[in-house]
Short mmCIF file of all heavy atoms in Angstrom, two decimals:
data_model
loop_
_atom_site.label_atom_id
_atom_site.label_comp_id
_atom_site.label_asym_id
_atom_site.label_seq_id
_atom_site.Cartn_x
_atom_site.Cartn_y
_atom_site.Cartn_z
N GLY H 1 -0.14 7.89 -1.81
CA GLY H 1 -1.28 7.47 -2.63
C GLY H 1 -0.86 6.97 -4.00
O GLY H 1 -1.43 6.00 -4.52
N PHE H 2 0.16 7.61 -4.59
CA PHE H 2 0.62 7.18 -5.92
C PHE H 2 1.23 5.79 -5.87
O PHE H 2 1.01 4.97 -6.77
CB PHE H 2 1.63 8.18 -6.47
CG PHE H 2 2.15 7.82 -7.84
CD1 PHE H 2 1.34 7.97 -8.95
CD2 PHE H 2 3.43 7.32 -8.01
CE1 PHE H 2 1.80 7.62 -10.22
CE2 PHE H 2 3.91 6.97 -9.26
CZ PHE H 2 3.09 7.13 -10.37
N ALA H 3 2.01 5.51 -4.82
CA ALA H 3 2.61 4.18 -4.68
C ALA H 3 1.54 3.12 -4.55
O ALA H 3 1.63 2.05 -5.17
CB ALA H 3 3.54 4.16 -3.47
N VAL H 4 0.50 3.40 -3.77
CA VAL H 4 -0.61 2.45 -3.63
C VAL H 4 -1.31 2.29 -4.98
O VAL H 4 -1.65 1.17 -5.39
CB VAL H 4 -1.62 2.94 -2.57
CG1 VAL H 4 -2.81 1.97 -2.47
CG2 VAL H 4 -0.95 3.07 -1.20
N PHE H 5 -1.52 3.39 -5.67
CA PHE H 5 -2.19 3.38 -6.98
C PHE H 5 -1.47 2.47 -7.97
O PHE H 5 -2.09 1.65 -8.66
CB PHE H 5 -2.24 4.81 -7.51
CG PHE H 5 -2.68 4.94 -8.95
CD1 PHE H 5 -4.00 4.81 -9.29
CD2 PHE H 5 -1.74 5.19 -9.95
CE1 PHE H 5 -4.40 4.92 -10.61
CE2 PHE H 5 -2.14 5.32 -11.27
CZ PHE H 5 -3.48 5.18 -11.61
N VAL H 6 -0.15 2.60 -8.04
CA VAL H 6 0.63 1.81 -9.00
C VAL H 6 0.57 0.32 -8.67
O VAL H 6 0.32 -0.51 -9.55
CB VAL H 6 2.10 2.30 -9.03
CG1 VAL H 6 2.96 1.35 -9.86
CG2 VAL H 6 2.18 3.71 -9.59
N LEU H 7 0.78 -0.03 -7.42
CA LEU H 7 0.83 -1.45 -7.07
C LEU H 7 -0.55 -2.09 -7.05
O LEU H 7 -0.66 -3.30 -7.26
CB LEU H 7 1.53 -1.66 -5.72
CG LEU H 7 3.05 -1.87 -5.85
CD1 LEU H 7 3.74 -0.56 -6.23
CD2 LEU H 7 3.66 -2.43 -4.59
N THR H 8 -1.58 -1.29 -6.83
CA THR H 8 -2.94 -1.84 -6.89
C THR H 8 -3.29 -2.26 -8.31
O THR H 8 -4.14 -3.14 -8.51
CB THR H 8 -3.96 -0.81 -6.36
OG1 THR H 8 -3.65 -0.48 -5.01
CG2 THR H 8 -5.38 -1.36 -6.39
N ALA H 9 -2.66 -1.64 -9.29
CA ALA H 9 -2.93 -1.96 -10.69
C ALA H 9 -2.16 -3.17 -11.18
O ALA H 9 -2.35 -3.60 -12.32
CB ALA H 9 -2.61 -0.74 -11.57
N ILE H 10 -1.30 -3.75 -10.34
CA ILE H 10 -0.50 -4.91 -10.75
C ILE H 10 -1.17 -6.19 -10.25
O ILE H 10 -1.32 -6.38 -9.04
CB ILE H 10 0.93 -4.83 -10.18
CG1 ILE H 10 1.62 -3.55 -10.66
CG2 ILE H 10 1.74 -6.06 -10.59
CD1 ILE H 10 2.99 -3.32 -10.06
N PRO H 11 -1.62 -7.06 -11.17
CA PRO H 11 -2.28 -8.30 -10.74
C PRO H 11 -1.42 -9.12 -9.78
O PRO H 11 -0.20 -9.16 -9.89
CB PRO H 11 -2.48 -9.05 -12.07
CG PRO H 11 -2.49 -7.97 -13.11
CD PRO H 11 -1.53 -6.93 -12.62
N PHE H 12 -2.09 -9.74 -8.82
CA PHE H 12 -1.49 -10.59 -7.77
C PHE H 12 -0.79 -9.75 -6.69
O PHE H 12 -0.99 -10.00 -5.51
CB PHE H 12 -0.53 -11.64 -8.36
CG PHE H 12 -1.18 -12.54 -9.36
CD1 PHE H 12 -0.87 -12.46 -10.70
CD2 PHE H 12 -2.13 -13.47 -8.95
CE1 PHE H 12 -1.49 -13.29 -11.62
CE2 PHE H 12 -2.75 -14.31 -9.86
CZ PHE H 12 -2.43 -14.23 -11.20
N VAL H 13 0.01 -8.77 -7.11
CA VAL H 13 0.61 -7.88 -6.11
C VAL H 13 -0.48 -7.13 -5.36
O VAL H 13 -0.39 -6.91 -4.15
CB VAL H 13 1.58 -6.88 -6.77
CG1 VAL H 13 2.11 -5.88 -5.75
CG2 VAL H 13 2.74 -7.62 -7.43
N ASN H 14 -1.56 -6.76 -6.09
CA ASN H 14 -2.63 -5.99 -5.47
C ASN H 14 -3.35 -6.74 -4.35
O ASN H 14 -4.05 -6.14 -3.53
CB ASN H 14 -3.64 -5.48 -6.52
CG ASN H 14 -4.20 -6.60 -7.38
OD1 ASN H 14 -4.19 -7.77 -7.01
ND2 ASN H 14 -4.69 -6.22 -8.54
N LEU H 15 -3.15 -8.05 -4.30
CA LEU H 15 -3.82 -8.84 -3.27
C LEU H 15 -3.24 -8.58 -1.88
O LEU H 15 -3.92 -8.79 -0.87
CB LEU H 15 -3.73 -10.34 -3.60
CG LEU H 15 -4.40 -10.77 -4.91
CD1 LEU H 15 -4.21 -12.27 -5.14
CD2 LEU H 15 -5.89 -10.43 -4.90
N ILE H 16 -1.99 -8.12 -1.81
CA ILE H 16 -1.37 -7.86 -0.51
C ILE H 16 -1.19 -6.37 -0.25
O ILE H 16 -0.57 -5.98 0.73
CB ILE H 16 -0.02 -8.58 -0.36
CG1 ILE H 16 0.97 -8.10 -1.44
CG2 ILE H 16 -0.19 -10.09 -0.40
CD1 ILE H 16 2.37 -8.64 -1.24
N VAL H 17 -1.74 -5.54 -1.13
CA VAL H 17 -1.59 -4.09 -0.98
C VAL H 17 -2.30 -3.59 0.27
O VAL H 17 -1.76 -2.73 0.99
CB VAL H 17 -2.11 -3.36 -2.23
CG1 VAL H 17 -2.37 -1.88 -1.94
CG2 VAL H 17 -1.10 -3.47 -3.37
N MET H 18 -3.50 -4.08 0.55
CA MET H 18 -4.29 -3.53 1.65
C MET H 18 -3.57 -3.60 3.00
O MET H 18 -3.38 -2.55 3.65
CB MET H 18 -5.66 -4.20 1.75
CG MET H 18 -6.56 -3.62 2.85
SD MET H 18 -8.27 -4.18 2.76
CE MET H 18 -8.07 -5.91 3.23
N PRO H 19 -3.13 -4.77 3.47
CA PRO H 19 -2.43 -4.78 4.76
C PRO H 19 -1.11 -4.02 4.74
O PRO H 19 -0.73 -3.39 5.73
CB PRO H 19 -2.22 -6.27 5.04
CG PRO H 19 -2.33 -6.95 3.72
CD PRO H 19 -3.30 -6.14 2.94
N ALA H 20 -0.40 -4.05 3.60
CA ALA H 20 0.86 -3.31 3.50
C ALA H 20 0.60 -1.81 3.60
O ALA H 20 1.37 -1.07 4.24
CB ALA H 20 1.56 -3.64 2.18
N ALA H 21 -0.48 -1.34 2.96
CA ALA H 21 -0.81 0.08 3.00
C ALA H 21 -1.21 0.52 4.41
O ALA H 21 -0.87 1.62 4.84
CB ALA H 21 -1.94 0.38 2.02
N VAL H 22 -1.93 -0.34 5.14
CA VAL H 22 -2.30 -0.03 6.52
C VAL H 22 -1.03 0.11 7.37
O VAL H 22 -0.90 1.06 8.16
CB VAL H 22 -3.22 -1.11 7.11
CG1 VAL H 22 -3.47 -0.86 8.60
CG2 VAL H 22 -4.56 -1.15 6.37
N CYS H 23 -0.10 -0.82 7.20
CA CYS H 23 1.15 -0.76 7.96
C CYS H 23 1.95 0.49 7.61
O CYS H 23 2.46 1.20 8.49
CB CYS H 23 1.99 -2.01 7.68
SG CYS H 23 1.28 -3.56 8.29
N GLY H 24 2.08 0.77 6.31
CA GLY H 24 2.85 1.93 5.88
C GLY H 24 2.23 3.24 6.33
O GLY H 24 2.93 4.17 6.74
N ALA H 25 0.90 3.32 6.26
CA ALA H 25 0.20 4.54 6.68
C ALA H 25 0.37 4.77 8.18
O ALA H 25 0.47 5.91 8.63
CB ALA H 25 -1.28 4.45 6.31
N THR H 26 0.38 3.69 8.94
CA THR H 26 0.55 3.82 10.39
C THR H 26 1.95 4.33 10.72
O THR H 26 2.13 5.17 11.61
CB THR H 26 0.30 2.48 11.09
OG1 THR H 26 -1.00 2.00 10.72
CG2 THR H 26 0.36 2.63 12.60
N LYS H 27 2.95 3.85 9.99
CA LYS H 27 4.32 4.35 10.18
C LYS H 27 4.39 5.84 9.81
O LYS H 27 5.04 6.63 10.50
CB LYS H 27 5.28 3.55 9.31
CG LYS H 27 6.76 3.97 9.43
CD LYS H 27 7.65 3.06 8.59
CE LYS H 27 9.09 3.55 8.57
NZ LYS H 27 9.72 3.50 9.92
N LEU H 28 3.70 6.21 8.75
CA LEU H 28 3.65 7.61 8.33
C LEU H 28 3.01 8.46 9.43
O LEU H 28 3.49 9.56 9.74
CB LEU H 28 2.86 7.72 7.02
CG LEU H 28 2.89 9.06 6.28
CD1 LEU H 28 2.62 8.82 4.79
CD2 LEU H 28 1.87 10.04 6.82
N TRP H 29 1.92 7.95 10.02
CA TRP H 29 1.25 8.65 11.12
C TRP H 29 2.18 8.85 12.32
O TRP H 29 2.29 9.95 12.86
CB TRP H 29 0.01 7.87 11.54
CG TRP H 29 -0.35 8.01 12.99
CD1 TRP H 29 0.03 7.19 14.02
CD2 TRP H 29 -1.14 9.04 13.60
NE1 TRP H 29 -0.47 7.64 15.22
CE2 TRP H 29 -1.19 8.78 14.99
CE3 TRP H 29 -1.80 10.17 13.10
CZ2 TRP H 29 -1.89 9.58 15.89
CZ3 TRP H 29 -2.50 10.98 14.00
CH2 TRP H 29 -2.53 10.68 15.37
N VAL H 30 2.86 7.78 12.70
CA VAL H 30 3.72 7.82 13.89
C VAL H 30 4.82 8.86 13.73
O VAL H 30 5.12 9.63 14.66
CB VAL H 30 4.33 6.43 14.17
CG1 VAL H 30 5.46 6.52 15.20
CG2 VAL H 30 3.24 5.48 14.66
N GLU H 31 5.40 8.94 12.54
CA GLU H 31 6.57 9.80 12.34
C GLU H 31 6.23 11.23 11.92
O GLU H 31 7.11 12.10 11.93
CB GLU H 31 7.49 9.15 11.30
CG GLU H 31 8.07 7.82 11.76
CD GLU H 31 9.05 7.19 10.78
OE1 GLU H 31 9.34 7.85 9.75
OE2 GLU H 31 9.51 6.06 11.03
#
């Protein structure tokens, strides 16, 4: 959550946070 929090606060980077977070969370779930 902290990693998402930090990058969501960065302009332009935050535009790609949502799909990256979904992918990362799914990897976290699998493992």
Side-chain angles (χ1 to χ4, degrees):
F2 180 73
V4 178
F5 170 77
V6 171
L7 270 72
T8 300
I10 302 175
F12 302 110
V13 175
N14 54 22
L15 298 178
I16 60 173
V17 162
M18 183 169 70
V22 173
C23 293
T26 305
K27 181 177 174 65
L28 190 155
W29 149 268
V30 168
E31 296 183 4

